């Protein structure tokens, strides 16, 4: 017989221990995976209380104790055998799985790489039993003592596979992953109480919720994700063809820098699924910048036969029979809720604004996490509310103290209103009306609307406006009557309820975007020929290719580009509603984005993205002076436009302070 040559390796059967360790490597990659399996077993056992203890990030100890159905001596012995399960049988349809476990792999896998100890007692029986498995070596079942339910202890995880140990992260990071995993399961099971201890320290606790349905879910989500999230989230309820979507979706203004806080569940199982995260991204796309992410917890429930859970070793991914339908349901339910919430009240932004004013006068406001938008009720009330109008000769609001601010924006001492002999505002600068009239038939956002305004050469940083004859009516609008423009960036308006501060660029950007989408839906965006075609050099050949490939689509948006030699394009027409825009800047940004987005987004989503980019470039920049007519036109259009409470990047477009808050600010209450 030939000796085996190096080119003809021998095939041999591996021993049981090696097989088990290899298999275990797939199921249990880090402590958090093992813990997830143990908690899932406790949930499948019908536990009402689950208590978890960790030591050294779960590497030294993972213990899970439950008050579920328990195991008798025979079940205990089988539980640690590979492919032994109580959850399905050989006749079971693998496409119809209703428990979290089904493979009979978790306990034997953990036993193959750690020291596993199980102690269990069936409720009503007089004896508990215990069993240990060490690195795959199964001990004997012995009588033991404990209350009804099961305790599973995993010590020295991966002691039998030291290579794996080296890949673990710090105790802190592993603890974090473990706690996060338990939290995910806790969100989906509000009827079960949870505690997690890191050593002796309690690091997570969620009481058992005895309410039913949505109320329990909301309370549990508040316990896990915090009240701030639930206060800033929208209820999602949608159902189509037996597929149900529930949960809470954060307002676009409550965003994060990564998608870590997106919790998605399919039939009570936490999943990380590209289809689902893609649907979430598409739904929020109009509301958030590309690098911001919403916070949400969504629960998808569908007939077990519609989803395959047996596709991932850690059961973290699923496949849907009809992926399109699931995606459609998620996108439409989220969009619907976000649209309906276009004017939902902010919880605490106005309060934070007051706090910021009170704490550090003049300090930057920092990042807003939530928009202040009047609720529908407040909007209604604003119409009904008869605002006390300023008496003749009295300044409507100290904020409109035009002459008080010098060129450098240095504040002058506050002058009480009764000292003012006459109107405190300089009555318009004569040139300021030009743009307002020029807006003409095109209205706000039309080509001429803002194009004719010069940034004032020696503009003061605050400019107040006199109320016109129709002021009483204007004040009754939800966003009120424009009173001043400050720093050429913010509009100060007086509403029936108080004071509204608008970021003119953010607001106008949203308006242009919504107009553009409307125009597209109605068959095309009006174009405007450039007097001189503009050649735009791009330093990147891919950018030119992306633009030229998409030339027909871009023409639909009113942007006509053609290739121009090597590395450049020529722009002949631009969307009329962008007005006087920075063509080169727009085209360069678009080129970059088309290159980036080409793969990532579906055609329609990409088109909306192009809209958003153009809107940003076509918007009234900060630094432009607006006439009172223009400011009021902007406010009125905001009121009539969906989603106008935030710009396309999810920043609030305005903050409103009611008189109550203003009075608190001045300690009048
Ligand atoms: N906490 C528990 N209480 C009661 N029975 C349990 C508990 N944990 C495990 N078991 C029993 O042990 C069996 C084996 O558990 P194991 O986790 O290995 O497999 P599984 O849950 O059936 O499937 P999967 O590998 O997908 O998790 C279970 O089917 C169940 O009958
Ligand atoms: Mg299991």
């Amino acid at each position: 017989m030939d000796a085996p040559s190096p080119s003809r390796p021998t095939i041999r059967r591996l021993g049981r221990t090696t097989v088990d360790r290899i298999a275990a490597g797939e199921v249990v990659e880090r402590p958090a995976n093992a813990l997830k399996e143990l908690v899932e077993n406790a949930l499948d056992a019908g536990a009402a209380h689950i208590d978890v203890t960790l030591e050294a990030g779960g590497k030294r100890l993972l213990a899970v104790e439950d008050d579920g159905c328990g195991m008798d001596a025979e079940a205990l012995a089988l539980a640690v055998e590979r492919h032994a399960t109580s959850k399905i049988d050989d006749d079971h349809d693998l496409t119809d799985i209703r428990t979290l476990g089904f493979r009979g792999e978790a306990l034997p896998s953990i036993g193959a790489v750690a020291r596993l100890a199980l102690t269990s007692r069936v409720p009503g029986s007089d004896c508990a039993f215990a069993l240990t498995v060490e690195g795959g070596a199964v001990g004997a079942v012995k009588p033991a003592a404990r209350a009804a339910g099961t305790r599973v202890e995993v010590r020295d995880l991966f002691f039998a596979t030291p290579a794996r140990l080296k890949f673990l992260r710090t105790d802190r990071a592993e603890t974090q992953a473990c706690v996060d995993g338990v939290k995910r399961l806790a969100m989906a099971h509000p009827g079960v109480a949870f505690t997690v201890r890191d050593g002796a320290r309690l690091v997570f606790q969620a009481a058992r919720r005895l309410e039913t349905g949505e109320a329990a879910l909301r309370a549990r989500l508040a316990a896990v994700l915090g009240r701030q999230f639930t206060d800033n989230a929208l209820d999602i309820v949608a159902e189509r063809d037996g597929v149900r979507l529930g949960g809470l979706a954060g307002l676009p203004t409550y965003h994060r820098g990564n998608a870590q806080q997106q919790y998605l569940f399919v039939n009570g199982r936490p999943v990380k699924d590209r289809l689902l995260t893609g649907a979430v991204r598409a739904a929020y796309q109009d509301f958030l910048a590309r690098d911001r992410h919403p916070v949400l917890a969504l629960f998808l429930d569908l007939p077990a036969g519609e989803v395959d859970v047996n596709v991932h070793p850690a059961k973290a991914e699923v496949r849907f029979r009809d992926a399109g339908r699931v995606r459609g349901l998620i996108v439409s339910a989220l969009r619907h809720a976000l649209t309906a919430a276009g004017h939902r009240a902010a919880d605490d932004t106005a309060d934070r604004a007051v706090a910021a004013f009170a704490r550090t006068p003049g300090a930057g406001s920092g990042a807003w996490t939530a928009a202040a938008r009047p609720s529908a009720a407040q909007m209604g009330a604003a119409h009904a509310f008869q605002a006390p109008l300023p008496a003749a000769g009295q300044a409507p609001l100290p904020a409109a103290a035009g002459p008080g601010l010098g060129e450098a924006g240095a504040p002058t001492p506050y002058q009480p209103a009764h000292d003012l002999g006459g109107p405190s505002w300089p009555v318009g600068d004569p040139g300021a009306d030009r743009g307002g009239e020029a807006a003409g038939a095109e209205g706000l956002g039309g080509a001429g609307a803002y194009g004719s305004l010069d940034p004032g050469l020696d503009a003061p940083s605050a400019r107040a406006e006199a109320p016109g004859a129709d002021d009483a009516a204007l004040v009754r609008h939800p966003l009120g009557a424009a009173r001043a423009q400050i720093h050429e960036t913010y509009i100060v308006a007086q509403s029936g309820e108080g004071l509204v501060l608008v970021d003119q660029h953010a607001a106008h950007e949203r308006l242009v975007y919504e107009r553009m989408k409307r125009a597209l839906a109605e068959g095309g965006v009006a174009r405007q020929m450039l007097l001189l075609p503009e050649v735009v050099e791009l330093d990147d050949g891919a950018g030119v290719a992306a633009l030229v490939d998409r030339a027909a689509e871009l023409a639909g948006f009113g942007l006509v580009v053609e290739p121009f030699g090597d590395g450049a394009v020529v722009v002949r027409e631009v969307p009329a509603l962008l007005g006087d825009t920075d063509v080169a800047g727009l085209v360069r940004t678009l080129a970059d984005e088309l290159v980036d987005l080409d793969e990532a987004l579906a055609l329609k989503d990409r088109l909306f993205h192009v809209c958003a980019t153009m809107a940003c470039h076509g918007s009234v920049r900060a630094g432009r002076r607006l006439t009172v007519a223009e400011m009021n036109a902007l406010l009125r259009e905001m009121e009539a436009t969906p989603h106008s409470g935030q710009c396309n990047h999810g920043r609030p477009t305005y903050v409103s302070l009611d008189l109550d808050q203003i009075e608190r600010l001045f300690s009048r209450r």
Side-chain angles (χ1 to χ4, degrees), residues 117-313:
L118 304 166
T119 316
S120 192
R121 181 166 140 203
V122 174
S125 85
D126 20 277
C127 187
F129 295 94
L131 173 65
T132 58
V133 185
E134 295 217 355
V138 182
V141 176
K142 294 182 183 144
R146 71 153 278 127
T150 304
R151 177 178 169 89
V152 183
E153 273 183 18
V154 179
R155 288 187 187 275
D156 306 326
L157 185 63
F158 301 128
F159 88 92
T161 50
R164 187 49 74 82
L165 263 182
K166 294 200 189 102
F167 288 92
L168 296 186
R169 301 179 46 203
T170 59
D171 288 1
R172 198 192 167 89
E174 296 297 343
T175 302
Q176 178 69 35
C178 286
V179 176
D180 187 63
V182 177
K183 284 184 175 176
R184 281 176 194 266
L185 286 167
M187 284 184 223
H189 298 89
V192 180
F194 288 85
T195 61
V196 180
R197 287 189 165 74
D198 180 10
R201 197 164 59 94
L202 185 66
V203 290
F204 172 66
Q205 180 169 34
R208 205 172 168 202
R209 304 308 313 193
L210 298 172
E211 306 95 326
T212 47
E214 302 297 327
L217 181 68
R218 194 170 245 283
R220 176 52 60 90
L221 290 179
V224 178
L225 294 174
R227 276 294 299 278
Q228 232 210 347
F229 166 69
T230 47
D231 287 349
N232 279 289
L234 306 167
D235 281 302
I236 303 295
V237 187
E239 180 148 17
R240 198 188 292 163
D241 308 324
V243 182
R244 191 180 173 285
L245 184 72
L248 291 179
L251 288 169
T253 39
Y254 186 81
H255 50 61
R256 292 287 179 273
N258 60 41
Q260 292 294 316
Q261 296 221 44
Q262 291 178 11
Y263 300 95
L264 303 167
F265 301 84
V266 175
N267 292 347
R269 187 187 296 282
V271 294
K272 293 200 165 144
D273 188 279
R274 277 170 61 92
L275 173 95
L276 300 181
T277 45
V280 168
R281 194 177 53 201
Y284 274 87
Q285 182 179 302
D286 277 10
F287 306 93
L288 281 176
R290 228 187 323 152
D291 58 346
R292 305 305 298 174
H293 304 267
V295 179
L296 43 76
L298 293 181
F299 299 82
L300 192 69
D301 287 293
L302 63 177
E306 291 292 308
V307 56
D308 188 354
V309 296
N310 186 24
V311 293
H312 187 266

Side-chain angles (χ1 to χ4, degrees), residues 37-38 40-41 44 87 100-107 315:
E37 295 293 343
L38 301 182
E40 287 187 349
N41 280 346
D44 281 343
K87 298 171 193 177
L100 293 166
F102 57 87
R103 308 159 307 180
E105 289 215 50
L107 291 180
K315 295 178 277 191

